[in-house]
Amino acid sequence: MKDQIKVNLGENSYSVIWQDLILSLKKDIEKFTEGRKTAVITNTKIYGIYKKEINNLFKNSLLIILPDGEKTKRIKTIEEISEKLLKENFNRDSLLIAFGGGVIGDITGFAASIYARGISFVQVPTTLLAMVDSSVGGKTGVNLSQGKNMAGTFYQPKAVFICCEFLKTLPKREINCGLAEAVKSALIMNKVFFSFLEKNVENILNKNINIMNLLSKESVLVKAAVVEKDEKENLLRGILNLGHTLAHAIESWYNYKYINHGEAVSIGLSFAAFFSYRQGILEEKKYHRIIDILTNLKLNKNISNLPGQKKPKAEELLELMKKDKKNKKEEIYFVMLKDIGQYLLPKPVESKKLFLALKEFYKL
Ligand SMILES: NC(=O)c1ccc[n+]([C@@H]2O[C@H](COP(=O)([O-])OP(=O)(O)OC[C@H]3O[C@@H](n4cnc5c(N)ncnc54)[C@H](O)[C@@H]3O)[C@@H](O)[C@H]2O)c1
Ligand SMILES: [Zn+2]
């Protein structure tokens, strides 16, 4: 399958291109690399698995191999990359290629946005999360010691190349992170996509390539539709945060260890569905369908089965939820669902209501 979606953002528009085989990406990528100085940014783990493919796809490129993991997502890395580029005389016409998951994508996008006041970059996502979410939309960034993703830019790639063959080597835990974001996309905007997920559980769990192509395509369509209307997160883009208010609190409570972003998101989705139902906005049977898809895809649904002896208390999670910069004193911005495939715009919710729902949710 070769397929394309255009993300329409005026002069920042770009295509997302699918190929079934990694080596088939070569021709498409060469259209961007030809005659240009190019650097490929990846990490030790991905290079260990895909050395042959990287050498084949990017023959004359500078290779920048970073340590694996979220801890690399910091300002120091951006400085090191920029120094390397300068040493090799990279200029405004040069190109960066992000070859990896969300961490590599966020770092590469950020470096591209500031080096020489901005150079081009393209994304080759190798995790499901990056395919369905982070490689599209133009958010780039790194973590500060006091806050995740607190330094960054909005900077769109020139193209995104998706190939689900990469998923063959991706561990189940990482697949789950992408699946949680795909379920989120279906929930906010596309009930047909949601039914597709329900019907294809086995194929998804087996990473069937045609099904994963469709799953990533539908997710990108949702993200593109939202970003096209609200590139820089005024209000609408906030719907992509369905499930994320609680997810961010859980990740923060665990100090970004032991639990991955997507794992926290699937719990957050189940809570957002529960809260929408408890507020009388979402029908009970729809809430159960949401819980069922999370169960069938083997995703986390509750806080009570999280790792570790100690678990976050409802009070602690509420305090962390309040920390989001958009919140006012006793209200928390929260995204609810009217229906499967129908969001409610983010709106302030009384923190007391969330607290009571959290207490109840814990016991489910
Ligand atoms: N920019 C955005 O809009 C956006 C959206 C969501 C998340 N993010 C960011 O994305 C990051 C999470 O991304 P992620 O989940 O892709 O994590 P990641 O980039 O850390 O990748 C997860 C793990 O999988 C490994 N890996 C990557 N591709 C592989 C493959 N094909 N086979 C085997 N192993 C592979 C990586 O080396 C890593 O160990 C976070 O930093 C988050 O803040 C950004
Ligand atoms: Zn997310």
Side-chain angles (χ1 to χ4, degrees):
M1 181 192 88
K2 177 176 175 185
D3 226 335
Q4 292 203 19
I5 290 174
K6 184 151 180 230
V7 184
N8 291 301
L9 293 167
E11 58 177 16
N12 294 331
S13 298
Y14 53 98
S15 292
V16 184
I17 297 163
W18 277 258
Q19 285 287 5
D20 279 348
L21 300 171
I22 296 171
L23 292 180
S24 309
L25 294 171
K26 195 173 164 87
K27 266 204 184 128
D28 295 309
I29 293 176
E30 272 173 1
K31 287 187 196 133
F32 287 83
T33 55
E34 226 164 277
R36 281 172 130 172
K37 246 183 171 355
T38 303
V40 181
I41 303 184
T42 189
N43 72 30
T44 45
K45 181 164 181 196
I46 300 164
Y47 189 66
I49 305 173
Y50 291 106
K51 184 173 175 187
K52 204 175 89 211
E53 288 79 359
I54 289 173
N55 290 335
N56 190 318
L57 288 174
F58 317 108
K59 274 208 174 83
N60 301 313
S61 303
L62 171 71
L63 203 53
I64 300 180
I65 304 174
L66 305 173
D68 186 21
E70 184 76 28
K71 59 187 180 311
T72 308
K73 235 180 92 170
R74 59 198 174 116
I75 292 273
K76 184 98 181 63
T77 307
I78 304 298
E79 188 184 357
E80 285 164 6
I81 292 171
S82 304
E83 299 284 6
K84 276 197 183 127
L85 298 177
L86 188 58
K87 201 165 153 221
E88 298 290 331
N89 297 319
F90 273 63
N91 60 28
R92 283 250 172 99
D93 298 325
S94 307
L95 178 81
L96 299 187
I97 298 175
F99 191 92
V103 167
I104 290 294
D106 282 7
I107 291 172
T108 307
F110 192 22
S113 73
I114 61 157
Y115 182 76
R117 298 211 166 77
I119 64 174
S120 299
F121 86 111
V122 299
Q123 297 254 24
V124 184
T126 63
T127 64
L128 186 60
L129 181 123
M131 292 175 193
V132 302
D133 188 358
S134 63
S135 67
V136 173
K139 275 193 186 176
T140 85
V142 295
N143 305 322
L144 300 179
S145 59
Q146 297 290 313
K148 199 168 179 293
N149 294 325
M150 279 310 288
T153 53
F154 284 103
Y155 197 68
Q156 302 293 341
K158 294 289 179 214
V160 180
F161 302 100
I162 295 184
C163 176
C164 291
E165 200 188 349
F166 286 118
L167 301 179
K168 282 190 187 160
T169 57
L170 194 68
K172 170 73 182 134
R173 220 180 143 187
E174 300 299 341
I175 294 277
N176 287 351
C177 294
L179 290 182
E181 300 286 1
V183 171
K184 174 198 79 180
S185 301
L187 284 175
I188 52 179
M189 275 210 172
N190 190 336
K191 65 172 192 244
V192 179
F193 180 26
F194 189 84
S195 307
F196 164 88
L197 295 174
E198 289 180 318
K199 280 188 211 112
N200 283 291
V201 167
E202 275 309 304
N203 284 325
I204 293 169
L205 294 176
N206 294 329
K207 303 191 241 184
N208 172 299
I209 196 132
N210 291 328
I211 297 300
M212 296 316 268
N213 275 331
L214 287 167
L215 180 146
S216 51
K217 199 173 159 197
E218 291 300 337
S219 304
V220 167
L221 278 170
V222 169
K223 184 135 189 202
V226 174
V227 172
E228 281 170 5
K229 291 198 193 93
D230 178 10
E231 189 182 349
K232 302 214 166 141
E233 197 158 319
N234 292 312
L235 186 62
L236 181 68
R237 193 168 171 158
I239 63 172
L240 296 171
N241 273 334
L242 178 74
H244 282 58
T245 314
L246 178 60
H248 289 151
I250 294 173
E251 286 180 277
S252 164
W253 192 88
Y254 278 97
N255 229 342
Y256 302 93
K257 291 182 191 127
Y258 314 115
I259 181 156
N260 292 339
H261 174 69
E263 292 172 326
V265 168
S266 61
I267 296 172
L269 290 177
S270 113
F271 178 67
F274 177 70
F275 188 68
S276 307
Y277 152 55
R278 271 289 182 252
Q279 295 305 298
I281 294 166
L282 180 73
E283 281 175 40
E284 183 173 3
K285 65 173 196 283
K286 305 275 170 73
Y287 158 64
H288 286 298
R289 264 177 83 189
I290 297 171
I291 297 301
D292 287 348
I293 189 74
L294 296 172
T295 310
N296 294 339
L297 289 173
K298 305 192 189 331
L299 303 178
N300 279 332
K301 301 181 303 283
N302 210 318
I303 306 162
S304 46
N305 45 24
L306 282 177
Q309 301 283 316
K310 259 185 89 191
K311 307 245 180 298
K313 293 195 183 102
E315 291 83 343
E316 293 170 327
L317 290 175
L318 191 79
E319 279 315 304
L320 291 165
M321 280 158 79
K322 281 185 190 165
K323 280 199 173 153
D324 190 297
K325 51 189 174 302
K326 288 195 199 85
N327 298 327
K328 295 195 197 104
K329 217 164 168 232
E330 284 306 319
E331 289 175 332
I332 293 175
Y333 262 87
F334 200 84
V335 187
M336 282 185 271
L337 288 173
K338 265 197 271 197
D339 196 347
I340 287 171
Q342 250 192 302
Y343 62 86
L344 266 186
L345 279 176
K347 64 173 190 182
V349 168
E350 263 178 66
S351 61
K352 202 166 158 227
K353 283 188 183 161
L354 282 167
F355 178 66
L356 293 175
L358 259 181
K359 289 274 243 196
E360 206 183 341
F361 182 65
Y362 254 95
K363 295 195 200 101
L364 294 178

